Amino acid sequence: MSWAGIIDKYREFLPVSSKTPVVTLNEGNTPLVPSPVLSDRLGLEVYLKYEGLNPTGSFKDRGMTVAVSKAKESGASAIICASTGNTSASAAAYAARAGLRCVVLIPKGAVAQGKLSQALIHGARVIAIDGNFDQALMMVRRIAQTEAITLVNSVNPYRLEGQKTGAFEVCDQLGGKAPDFHAIPVGNAGNISAYWMGYGEYYEKKIVGSKPVMLGFQAEGAAPIVKKKIIKDPRTIATAIRIGNPASWKSAENARDSSGGVIDTVTDKEILEAYKLLADKEGIFVEPASAASVAGVLKLGRTGYFEKKLKSMKRATLVCVLTGHGLKDPDRAIASVKKPKTVAANLNAILKAVKL
Ligand code: F0G
């Protein structure tokens, strides 16, 4: 078998031993798709790391295979997480496969249908709280302190260990070098921290020649890192990143500052424009939060950021991480387009409606 998941592939970089029972759905190995439209607009060589093609449709599976394998190794019988949706979908699937119980806390009414259906069908106990993600995270952290249940949010270090393999794959796919720029949406800030860790580890092992400039993007109404303050009531249509007090705040700032990068905001309008652009022009369907990385680099492009940075770099490469699949949030897709027309079941009416 050629691919058996990220633990099998990157074992030497991960905190596992021959005794660790590997719980995998063959996550990882996602395509790095060239983006002609963005390359043209930005004057860079742009690639899209399509993480929506992981087994449960988001990048969370990379961290979850490690967290759940380690939970099983330690003899746990149950796992718990707070989630804006994708973490809970992934936790529920890996728990089902491992034979563990799974409990998830979600903010009421703020989780996309696809994600909720995943957590439920995999048999998780789903509890919606009358509050937001930050409150849910606080609750599960408390519960995990006193109860016999393993926390699998990204405050569990095994999650970031798994997620850093995204950076290894990008370097491997670019023929053994890191991109010059790495763009990524920022919510709870685990993924930007994990990628920075991954690039650092490949750099130390001399597998890549340099590390990228990290570009993180938060939604305008949920941008605590950019605004340098906790946002009590975060708001954005990109529900995955509707977070006002990220757990990995400090490490995200470190990734930004050590790499000479930026963390900036994008408006919901910019997110939706990028969402449509990816679908219309590149044939790639992502959920709105994922489009934040593309919205962000388009914004930086408009302000002349790359031209200024690029004085010394020729043929620079940029990787945008597309964190989750568009099918996660079908309601948003339907709300963004014209409804299909119903016509009589006869050829004339159909041809008239098709307007060839
Ligand atoms: N994109 C998607 C699709 C996400 O689901 C998330 C986070 C992010 C980006 C941001 O990543 O939190 O590591 O900065 N989703 C979490 C969840 C919070 O519960 O599924 P981050």
Side-chain angles (χ1 to χ4, degrees), residues 57-60 82-88 115 133 153-154 159-160 163 184-192 240-241 243 287 289-290 322-325:
S58 85
F59 72 95
K60 305 286 181 181
S83 183
T84 56
N86 282 322
T87 299
S88 64
K115 306 174 189 183
F133 169 83
N153 278 105
S154 55
R159 282 279 311 283
L160 298 198
Q163 282 174 210
I184 190 164
V186 176
N188 213 21
N191 213 24
I192 188 171
I241 52 172
I243 294 175
E287 64 168 286
S290 306
L322 304 179
T323 47
H325 201 286

PDB file of all heavy atoms in Angstrom, residues 57-60 82-88 115 133 153-154 159-160 163 184-192 240-241 243 287 289-290 322-325, ligand 1:
ATOM      1  N   GLY A  57     -12.964  15.971   5.267  1.00  0.00           N
ATOM      2  CA  GLY A  57     -13.194  17.212   4.547  1.00  0.00           C
ATOM      3  C   GLY A  57     -12.517  18.444   5.120  1.00  0.00           C
ATOM      4  O   GLY A  57     -12.844  19.563   4.720  1.00  0.00           O
ATOM      5  N   SER A  58     -11.579  18.262   6.052  1.00  0.00           N
ATOM      6  CA  SER A  58     -10.810  19.418   6.529  1.00  0.00           C
ATOM      7  C   SER A  58      -9.440  18.983   7.023  1.00  0.00           C
ATOM      8  O   SER A  58      -9.183  17.797   7.240  1.00  0.00           O
ATOM      9  CB  SER A  58     -11.541  20.167   7.654  1.00  0.00           C
ATOM     10  OG  SER A  58     -11.263  19.571   8.912  1.00  0.00           O
ATOM     11  N   PHE A  59      -8.570  20.001   7.243  1.00  0.00           N
ATOM     12  CA  PHE A  59      -7.194  19.746   7.715  1.00  0.00           C
ATOM     13  C   PHE A  59      -7.141  19.128   9.104  1.00  0.00           C
ATOM     14  O   PHE A  59      -6.106  18.630   9.537  1.00  0.00           O
ATOM     15  CB  PHE A  59      -6.400  21.058   7.715  1.00  0.00           C
ATOM     16  CG  PHE A  59      -6.805  22.034   8.807  1.00  0.00           C
ATOM     17  CD1 PHE A  59      -6.137  22.077  10.024  1.00  0.00           C
ATOM     18  CD2 PHE A  59      -7.864  22.902   8.613  1.00  0.00           C
ATOM     19  CE1 PHE A  59      -6.504  22.962  11.023  1.00  0.00           C
ATOM     20  CE2 PHE A  59      -8.247  23.797   9.610  1.00  0.00           C
ATOM     21  CZ  PHE A  59      -7.571  23.830  10.822  1.00  0.00           C
ATOM     22  N   LYS A  60      -8.253  19.162   9.819  1.00  0.00           N
ATOM     23  CA  LYS A  60      -8.251  18.696  11.213  1.00  0.00           C
ATOM     24  C   LYS A  60      -7.828  17.237  11.338  1.00  0.00           C
ATOM     25  O   LYS A  60      -7.347  16.814  12.392  1.00  0.00           O
ATOM     26  CB  LYS A  60      -9.634  18.861  11.831  1.00  0.00           C
ATOM     27  CG  LYS A  60     -10.193  20.267  11.760  1.00  0.00           C
ATOM     28  CD  LYS A  60      -9.519  21.191  12.724  1.00  0.00           C
ATOM     29  CE  LYS A  60     -10.131  22.585  12.632  1.00  0.00           C
ATOM     30  NZ  LYS A  60      -9.498  23.540  13.531  1.00  0.00           N
ATOM     31  N   ALA A  82     -14.367  21.223  22.020  1.00  0.00           N
ATOM     32  CA  ALA A  82     -15.275  22.313  21.636  1.00  0.00           C
ATOM     33  C   ALA A  82     -15.003  22.547  20.165  1.00  0.00           C
ATOM     34  O   ALA A  82     -13.888  22.314  19.709  1.00  0.00           O
ATOM     35  CB  ALA A  82     -14.939  23.575  22.415  1.00  0.00           C
ATOM     36  N   SER A  83     -15.999  23.020  19.412  1.00  0.00           N
ATOM     37  CA  SER A  83     -15.721  23.157  17.994  1.00  0.00           C
ATOM     38  C   SER A  83     -16.664  24.113  17.285  1.00  0.00           C
ATOM     39  O   SER A  83     -17.835  24.225  17.632  1.00  0.00           O
ATOM     40  CB  SER A  83     -15.806  21.785  17.331  1.00  0.00           C
ATOM     41  OG  SER A  83     -15.476  21.869  15.965  1.00  0.00           O
ATOM     42  N   THR A  84     -16.104  24.786  16.252  1.00  0.00           N
ATOM     43  CA  THR A  84     -16.955  25.514  15.325  1.00  0.00           C
ATOM     44  C   THR A  84     -17.435  24.564  14.221  1.00  0.00           C
ATOM     45  O   THR A  84     -18.050  24.996  13.262  1.00  0.00           O
ATOM     46  CB  THR A  84     -16.202  26.711  14.704  1.00  0.00           C
ATOM     47  OG1 THR A  84     -15.002  26.214  14.074  1.00  0.00           O
ATOM     48  CG2 THR A  84     -15.820  27.746  15.751  1.00  0.00           C
ATOM     49  N   GLY A  85     -17.093  23.289  14.333  1.00  0.00           N
ATOM     50  CA  GLY A  85     -17.648  22.284  13.429  1.00  0.00           C
ATOM     51  C   GLY A  85     -16.673  21.243  12.908  1.00  0.00           C
ATOM     52  O   GLY A  85     -16.899  20.048  13.029  1.00  0.00           O
ATOM     53  N   ASN A  86     -15.558  21.697  12.328  1.00  0.00           N
ATOM     54  CA  ASN A  86     -14.654  20.733  11.694  1.00  0.00           C
ATOM     55  C   ASN A  86     -13.914  19.841  12.686  1.00  0.00           C
ATOM     56  O   ASN A  86     -13.737  18.649  12.444  1.00  0.00           O
ATOM     57  CB  ASN A  86     -13.651  21.464  10.803  1.00  0.00           C
ATOM     58  CG  ASN A  86     -14.285  21.869   9.490  1.00  0.00           C
ATOM     59  OD1 ASN A  86     -15.086  21.122   8.921  1.00  0.00           O
ATOM     60  ND2 ASN A  86     -13.951  23.051   9.004  1.00  0.00           N
ATOM     61  N   THR A  87     -13.481  20.425  13.795  1.00  0.00           N
ATOM     62  CA  THR A  87     -12.807  19.594  14.803  1.00  0.00           C
ATOM     63  C   THR A  87     -13.755  18.520  15.301  1.00  0.00           C
ATOM     64  O   THR A  87     -13.364  17.358  15.479  1.00  0.00           O
ATOM     65  CB  THR A  87     -12.322  20.471  15.981  1.00  0.00           C
ATOM     66  OG1 THR A  87     -11.397  21.426  15.469  1.00  0.00           O
ATOM     67  CG2 THR A  87     -11.637  19.652  17.053  1.00  0.00           C
ATOM     68  N   SER A  88     -15.015  18.882  15.496  1.00  0.00           N
ATOM     69  CA  SER A  88     -15.969  17.891  16.016  1.00  0.00           C
ATOM     70  C   SER A  88     -16.234  16.798  14.986  1.00  0.00           C
ATOM     71  O   SER A  88     -16.342  15.617  15.343  1.00  0.00           O
ATOM     72  CB  SER A  88     -17.274  18.567  16.444  1.00  0.00           C
ATOM     73  OG  SER A  88     -17.936  19.153  15.355  1.00  0.00           O
ATOM     74  N   LYS A 115     -21.034  19.834   8.781  1.00  0.00           N
ATOM     75  CA  LYS A 115     -20.183  19.468   9.927  1.00  0.00           C
ATOM     76  C   LYS A 115     -21.005  18.831  11.035  1.00  0.00           C
ATOM     77  O   LYS A 115     -20.613  17.828  11.635  1.00  0.00           O
ATOM     78  CB  LYS A 115     -19.480  20.725  10.462  1.00  0.00           C
ATOM     79  CG  LYS A 115     -18.704  21.481   9.402  1.00  0.00           C
ATOM     80  CD  LYS A 115     -18.151  22.803   9.926  1.00  0.00           C
ATOM     81  CE  LYS A 115     -17.577  23.614   8.782  1.00  0.00           C
ATOM     82  NZ  LYS A 115     -16.965  24.869   9.203  1.00  0.00           N
ATOM     83  N   PHE A 133     -17.921  29.878  20.683  1.00  0.00           N
ATOM     84  CA  PHE A 133     -16.852  28.875  20.711  1.00  0.00           C
ATOM     85  C   PHE A 133     -15.915  29.079  21.904  1.00  0.00           C
ATOM     86  O   PHE A 133     -15.516  28.116  22.560  1.00  0.00           O
ATOM     87  CB  PHE A 133     -16.045  28.922  19.399  1.00  0.00           C
ATOM     88  CG  PHE A 133     -14.783  28.114  19.480  1.00  0.00           C
ATOM     89  CD1 PHE A 133     -14.801  26.742  19.255  1.00  0.00           C
ATOM     90  CD2 PHE A 133     -13.566  28.707  19.807  1.00  0.00           C
ATOM     91  CE1 PHE A 133     -13.637  25.976  19.350  1.00  0.00           C
ATOM     92  CE2 PHE A 133     -12.396  27.965  19.914  1.00  0.00           C
ATOM     93  CZ  PHE A 133     -12.439  26.600  19.683  1.00  0.00           C
ATOM     94  N   ASN A 153      -8.900  19.297  21.587  1.00  0.00           N
ATOM     95  CA  ASN A 153      -8.725  20.594  20.911  1.00  0.00           C
ATOM     96  C   ASN A 153      -7.222  20.815  20.700  1.00  0.00           C
ATOM     97  O   ASN A 153      -6.402  20.074  21.246  1.00  0.00           O
ATOM     98  CB  ASN A 153      -9.336  21.728  21.748  1.00  0.00           C
ATOM     99  CG  ASN A 153     -10.829  21.821  21.510  1.00  0.00           C
ATOM    100  OD1 ASN A 153     -11.621  21.413  22.371  1.00  0.00           O
ATOM    101  ND2 ASN A 153     -11.218  22.326  20.359  1.00  0.00           N
ATOM    102  N   SER A 154      -6.894  21.881  19.951  1.00  0.00           N
ATOM    103  CA  SER A 154      -5.478  22.045  19.609  1.00  0.00           C
ATOM    104  C   SER A 154      -4.615  22.493  20.790  1.00  0.00           C
ATOM    105  O   SER A 154      -3.406  22.646  20.645  1.00  0.00           O
ATOM    106  CB  SER A 154      -5.324  22.993  18.415  1.00  0.00           C
ATOM    107  OG  SER A 154      -5.954  24.221  18.679  1.00  0.00           O
ATOM    108  N   ARG A 159      -2.202  17.436  18.634  1.00  0.00           N
ATOM    109  CA  ARG A 159      -2.918  17.969  17.467  1.00  0.00           C
ATOM    110  C   ARG A 159      -1.962  18.762  16.572  1.00  0.00           C
ATOM    111  O   ARG A 159      -1.895  18.562  15.357  1.00  0.00           O
ATOM    112  CB  ARG A 159      -4.069  18.875  17.924  1.00  0.00           C
ATOM    113  CG  ARG A 159      -5.326  18.135  18.408  1.00  0.00           C
ATOM    114  CD  ARG A 159      -6.197  17.686  17.234  1.00  0.00           C
ATOM    115  NE  ARG A 159      -6.434  18.775  16.290  1.00  0.00           N
ATOM    116  CZ  ARG A 159      -7.295  19.776  16.469  1.00  0.00           C
ATOM    117  NH1 ARG A 159      -8.058  19.813  17.555  1.00  0.00           N
ATOM    118  NH2 ARG A 159      -7.427  20.730  15.564  1.00  0.00           N
ATOM    119  N   LEU A 160      -1.210  19.684  17.168  1.00  0.00           N
ATOM    120  CA  LEU A 160      -0.305  20.506  16.356  1.00  0.00           C
ATOM    121  C   LEU A 160       0.809  19.658  15.754  1.00  0.00           C
ATOM    122  O   LEU A 160       1.269  19.921  14.635  1.00  0.00           O
ATOM    123  CB  LEU A 160       0.287  21.653  17.175  1.00  0.00           C
ATOM    124  CG  LEU A 160      -0.693  22.681  17.749  1.00  0.00           C
ATOM    125  CD1 LEU A 160       0.044  23.954  18.125  1.00  0.00           C
ATOM    126  CD2 LEU A 160      -1.815  23.028  16.782  1.00  0.00           C
ATOM    127  N   GLN A 163      -0.687  18.304  12.694  1.00  0.00           N
ATOM    128  CA  GLN A 163      -0.990  19.336  11.695  1.00  0.00           C
ATOM    129  C   GLN A 163       0.271  19.890  11.017  1.00  0.00           C
ATOM    130  O   GLN A 163       0.211  20.341   9.874  1.00  0.00           O
ATOM    131  CB  GLN A 163      -1.805  20.460  12.339  1.00  0.00           C
ATOM    132  CG  GLN A 163      -3.262  20.048  12.505  1.00  0.00           C
ATOM    133  CD  GLN A 163      -4.108  21.047  13.271  1.00  0.00           C
ATOM    134  OE1 GLN A 163      -5.048  20.648  13.935  1.00  0.00           O
ATOM    135  NE2 GLN A 163      -3.807  22.335  13.190  1.00  0.00           N
ATOM    136  N   ILE A 184      -2.739  31.588   5.203  1.00  0.00           N
ATOM    137  CA  ILE A 184      -3.577  30.654   5.947  1.00  0.00           C
ATOM    138  C   ILE A 184      -4.636  31.417   6.757  1.00  0.00           C
ATOM    139  O   ILE A 184      -4.348  32.503   7.286  1.00  0.00           O
ATOM    140  CB  ILE A 184      -2.640  29.809   6.866  1.00  0.00           C
ATOM    141  CG1 ILE A 184      -3.374  28.643   7.517  1.00  0.00           C
ATOM    142  CG2 ILE A 184      -1.938  30.651   7.911  1.00  0.00           C
ATOM    143  CD1 ILE A 184      -2.437  27.602   8.101  1.00  0.00           C
ATOM    144  N   PRO A 185      -5.865  30.878   6.838  1.00  0.00           N
ATOM    145  CA  PRO A 185      -6.855  31.514   7.723  1.00  0.00           C
ATOM    146  C   PRO A 185      -6.488  31.268   9.184  1.00  0.00           C
ATOM    147  O   PRO A 185      -5.894  30.236   9.506  1.00  0.00           O
ATOM    148  CB  PRO A 185      -8.175  30.801   7.387  1.00  0.00           C
ATOM    149  CG  PRO A 185      -7.844  29.658   6.506  1.00  0.00           C
ATOM    150  CD  PRO A 185      -6.398  29.697   6.154  1.00  0.00           C
ATOM    151  N   VAL A 186      -6.869  32.199  10.041  1.00  0.00           N
ATOM    152  CA  VAL A 186      -6.551  32.067  11.470  1.00  0.00           C
ATOM    153  C   VAL A 186      -7.834  32.150  12.294  1.00  0.00           C
ATOM    154  O   VAL A 186      -8.593  33.116  12.190  1.00  0.00           O
ATOM    155  CB  VAL A 186      -5.570  33.178  11.919  1.00  0.00           C
ATOM    156  CG1 VAL A 186      -5.317  33.111  13.422  1.00  0.00           C
ATOM    157  CG2 VAL A 186      -4.248  33.064  11.168  1.00  0.00           C
ATOM    158  N   GLY A 187      -8.077  31.101  13.088  1.00  0.00           N
ATOM    159  CA  GLY A 187      -9.225  31.096  13.985  1.00  0.00           C
ATOM    160  C   GLY A 187      -8.728  30.935  15.407  1.00  0.00           C
ATOM    161  O   GLY A 187      -8.419  31.914  16.100  1.00  0.00           O
ATOM    162  N   ASN A 188      -8.601  29.681  15.830  1.00  0.00           N
ATOM    163  CA  ASN A 188      -8.050  29.407  17.158  1.00  0.00           C
ATOM    164  C   ASN A 188      -6.520  29.458  17.120  1.00  0.00           C
ATOM    165  O   ASN A 188      -5.859  29.286  18.122  1.00  0.00           O
ATOM    166  CB  ASN A 188      -8.547  28.043  17.641  1.00  0.00           C
ATOM    167  CG  ASN A 188      -8.732  27.975  19.137  1.00  0.00           C
ATOM    168  OD1 ASN A 188      -8.878  29.006  19.804  1.00  0.00           O
ATOM    169  ND2 ASN A 188      -8.711  26.786  19.679  1.00  0.00           N
ATOM    170  N   ALA A 189      -5.976  29.657  15.914  1.00  0.00           N
ATOM    171  CA  ALA A 189      -4.551  29.910  15.656  1.00  0.00           C
ATOM    172  C   ALA A 189      -3.646  28.689  15.801  1.00  0.00           C
ATOM    173  O   ALA A 189      -2.422  28.820  15.822  1.00  0.00           O
ATOM    174  CB  ALA A 189      -4.048  31.077  16.511  1.00  0.00           C
ATOM    175  N   GLY A 190      -4.246  27.505  15.868  1.00  0.00           N
ATOM    176  CA  GLY A 190      -3.437  26.286  15.950  1.00  0.00           C
ATOM    177  C   GLY A 190      -2.730  25.979  14.641  1.00  0.00           C
ATOM    178  O   GLY A 190      -1.554  25.602  14.630  1.00  0.00           O
ATOM    179  N   ASN A 191      -3.421  26.164  13.530  1.00  0.00           N
ATOM    180  CA  ASN A 191      -2.862  25.715  12.255  1.00  0.00           C
ATOM    181  C   ASN A 191      -1.672  26.560  11.813  1.00  0.00           C
ATOM    182  O   ASN A 191      -0.674  26.025  11.356  1.00  0.00           O
ATOM    183  CB  ASN A 191      -3.953  25.714  11.177  1.00  0.00           C
ATOM    184  CG  ASN A 191      -3.760  24.602  10.161  1.00  0.00           C
ATOM    185  OD1 ASN A 191      -3.117  23.577  10.445  1.00  0.00           O
ATOM    186  ND2 ASN A 191      -4.310  24.778   8.975  1.00  0.00           N
ATOM    187  N   ILE A 192      -1.757  27.865  11.986  1.00  0.00           N
ATOM    188  CA  ILE A 192      -0.613  28.719  11.605  1.00  0.00           C
ATOM    189  C   ILE A 192       0.602  28.358  12.473  1.00  0.00           C
ATOM    190  O   ILE A 192       1.727  28.275  11.991  1.00  0.00           O
ATOM    191  CB  ILE A 192      -0.966  30.232  11.672  1.00  0.00           C
ATOM    192  CG1 ILE A 192       0.168  31.071  11.084  1.00  0.00           C
ATOM    193  CG2 ILE A 192      -1.297  30.693  13.090  1.00  0.00           C
ATOM    194  CD1 ILE A 192      -0.171  32.554  10.911  1.00  0.00           C
ATOM    195  N   ALA A 240     -16.392  28.929  10.820  1.00  0.00           N
ATOM    196  CA  ALA A 240     -15.253  28.119  11.301  1.00  0.00           C
ATOM    197  C   ALA A 240     -14.251  28.970  12.065  1.00  0.00           C
ATOM    198  O   ALA A 240     -13.568  28.478  12.968  1.00  0.00           O
ATOM    199  CB  ALA A 240     -14.568  27.425  10.127  1.00  0.00           C
ATOM    200  N   ILE A 241     -14.121  30.243  11.683  1.00  0.00           N
ATOM    201  CA  ILE A 241     -13.123  31.097  12.335  1.00  0.00           C
ATOM    202  C   ILE A 241     -13.781  32.213  13.162  1.00  0.00           C
ATOM    203  O   ILE A 241     -13.218  33.277  13.365  1.00  0.00           O
ATOM    204  CB  ILE A 241     -12.102  31.671  11.312  1.00  0.00           C
ATOM    205  CG1 ILE A 241     -12.802  32.363  10.128  1.00  0.00           C
ATOM    206  CG2 ILE A 241     -11.190  30.571  10.805  1.00  0.00           C
ATOM    207  CD1 ILE A 241     -11.844  33.113   9.196  1.00  0.00           C
ATOM    208  N   ILE A 243     -14.032  33.255  16.191  1.00  0.00           N
ATOM    209  CA  ILE A 243     -13.348  33.007  17.465  1.00  0.00           C
ATOM    210  C   ILE A 243     -12.770  34.327  17.976  1.00  0.00           C
ATOM    211  O   ILE A 243     -12.135  35.063  17.214  1.00  0.00           O
ATOM    212  CB  ILE A 243     -12.233  31.940  17.256  1.00  0.00           C
ATOM    213  CG1 ILE A 243     -12.890  30.596  16.896  1.00  0.00           C
ATOM    214  CG2 ILE A 243     -11.335  31.821  18.487  1.00  0.00           C
ATOM    215  CD1 ILE A 243     -11.949  29.485  16.536  1.00  0.00           C
ATOM    216  N   GLU A 287     -15.032  25.949   1.869  1.00  0.00           N
ATOM    217  CA  GLU A 287     -15.963  26.634   2.764  1.00  0.00           C
ATOM    218  C   GLU A 287     -15.468  28.069   2.968  1.00  0.00           C
ATOM    219  O   GLU A 287     -14.276  28.360   2.733  1.00  0.00           O
ATOM    220  CB  GLU A 287     -16.113  25.878   4.079  1.00  0.00           C
ATOM    221  CG  GLU A 287     -14.868  25.786   4.926  1.00  0.00           C
ATOM    222  CD  GLU A 287     -15.198  25.275   6.315  1.00  0.00           C
ATOM    223  OE1 GLU A 287     -15.777  26.068   7.080  1.00  0.00           O
ATOM    224  OE2 GLU A 287     -14.891  24.125   6.621  1.00  0.00           O
ATOM    225  N   ALA A 289     -14.483  30.043   5.398  1.00  0.00           N
ATOM    226  CA  ALA A 289     -13.271  30.315   6.191  1.00  0.00           C
ATOM    227  C   ALA A 289     -12.014  30.056   5.379  1.00  0.00           C
ATOM    228  O   ALA A 289     -11.019  30.783   5.496  1.00  0.00           O
ATOM    229  CB  ALA A 289     -13.254  29.453   7.457  1.00  0.00           C
ATOM    230  N   SER A 290     -12.053  29.028   4.540  1.00  0.00           N
ATOM    231  CA  SER A 290     -10.869  28.675   3.744  1.00  0.00           C
ATOM    232  C   SER A 290     -10.539  29.754   2.735  1.00  0.00           C
ATOM    233  O   SER A 290      -9.378  29.964   2.381  1.00  0.00           O
ATOM    234  CB  SER A 290     -11.106  27.364   3.001  1.00  0.00           C
ATOM    235  OG  SER A 290     -11.490  26.366   3.899  1.00  0.00           O
ATOM    236  N   LEU A 322      -6.183  25.829   1.730  1.00  0.00           N
ATOM    237  CA  LEU A 322      -7.650  25.807   1.666  1.00  0.00           C
ATOM    238  C   LEU A 322      -8.092  24.755   2.674  1.00  0.00           C
ATOM    239  O   LEU A 322      -8.019  23.553   2.415  1.00  0.00           O
ATOM    240  CB  LEU A 322      -8.112  25.472   0.250  1.00  0.00           C
ATOM    241  CG  LEU A 322      -7.574  26.406  -0.850  1.00  0.00           C
ATOM    242  CD1 LEU A 322      -8.073  25.963  -2.213  1.00  0.00           C
ATOM    243  CD2 LEU A 322      -7.955  27.858  -0.582  1.00  0.00           C
ATOM    244  N   THR A 323      -8.521  25.230   3.827  1.00  0.00           N
ATOM    245  CA  THR A 323      -8.623  24.356   5.007  1.00  0.00           C
ATOM    246  C   THR A 323      -9.802  23.380   5.021  1.00  0.00           C
ATOM    247  O   THR A 323      -9.729  22.328   5.633  1.00  0.00           O
ATOM    248  CB  THR A 323      -8.702  25.257   6.251  1.00  0.00           C
ATOM    249  OG1 THR A 323      -9.662  26.291   5.988  1.00  0.00           O
ATOM    250  CG2 THR A 323      -7.369  25.879   6.579  1.00  0.00           C
ATOM    251  N   GLY A 324     -10.922  23.738   4.367  1.00  0.00           N
ATOM    252  CA  GLY A 324     -12.096  22.864   4.451  1.00  0.00           C
ATOM    253  C   GLY A 324     -12.905  22.844   3.158  1.00  0.00           C
ATOM    254  O   GLY A 324     -12.907  23.815   2.386  1.00  0.00           O
ATOM    255  N   HIS A 325     -13.584  21.749   2.913  1.00  0.00           N
ATOM    256  CA  HIS A 325     -14.351  21.562   1.673  1.00  0.00           C
ATOM    257  C   HIS A 325     -15.635  22.397   1.654  1.00  0.00           C
ATOM    258  O   HIS A 325     -16.267  22.597   2.693  1.00  0.00           O
ATOM    259  CB  HIS A 325     -14.710  20.078   1.525  1.00  0.00           C
ATOM    260  CG  HIS A 325     -15.023  19.701   0.119  1.00  0.00           C
ATOM    261  ND1 HIS A 325     -16.199  20.059  -0.496  1.00  0.00           N
ATOM    262  CD2 HIS A 325     -14.290  19.040  -0.806  1.00  0.00           C
ATOM    263  CE1 HIS A 325     -16.183  19.617  -1.748  1.00  0.00           C
ATOM    264  NE2 HIS A 325     -15.033  18.991  -1.953  1.00  0.00           N
TER     265      HIS A 325
HETATM  266  N1  F0G B   1     -10.443  26.870   8.439  1.00  0.00           N
HETATM  267  C1  F0G B   1     -11.361  25.978   8.823  1.00  0.00           C
HETATM  268  C2  F0G B   1     -12.193  25.338   7.778  1.00  0.00           C
HETATM  269  C3  F0G B   1     -11.515  25.657  10.197  1.00  0.00           C
HETATM  270  O1  F0G B   1     -12.423  24.773  10.563  1.00  0.00           O
HETATM  271  C4  F0G B   1     -10.702  26.316  11.151  1.00  0.00           C
HETATM  272  C5  F0G B   1     -10.854  26.049  12.571  1.00  0.00           C
HETATM  273  C6  F0G B   1      -9.756  27.227  10.675  1.00  0.00           C
HETATM  274  C7  F0G B   1      -9.658  27.483   9.332  1.00  0.00           C
HETATM  275  C8  F0G B   1      -8.836  27.946  11.595  1.00  0.00           C
HETATM  276  O2  F0G B   1      -7.831  27.116  12.070  1.00  0.00           O
HETATM  277  O3  F0G B   1      -8.319  27.352  14.479  1.00  0.00           O
HETATM  278  O4  F0G B   1      -6.186  26.332  13.680  1.00  0.00           O
HETATM  279  O5  F0G B   1      -6.604  28.772  13.405  1.00  0.00           O
HETATM  280  N2  F0G B   1     -11.769  25.336  13.085  1.00  0.00           N
HETATM  281  C9  F0G B   1     -11.853  24.929  14.488  1.00  0.00           C
HETATM  282  C10 F0G B   1     -12.968  23.927  14.679  1.00  0.00           C
HETATM  283  C11 F0G B   1     -11.851  26.042  15.441  1.00  0.00           C
HETATM  284  O6  F0G B   1     -13.522  23.823  15.791  1.00  0.00           O
HETATM  285  O7  F0G B   1     -13.274  23.193  13.749  1.00  0.00           O
HETATM  286  P1  F0G B   1      -7.193  27.406  13.501  1.00  0.00           P
END
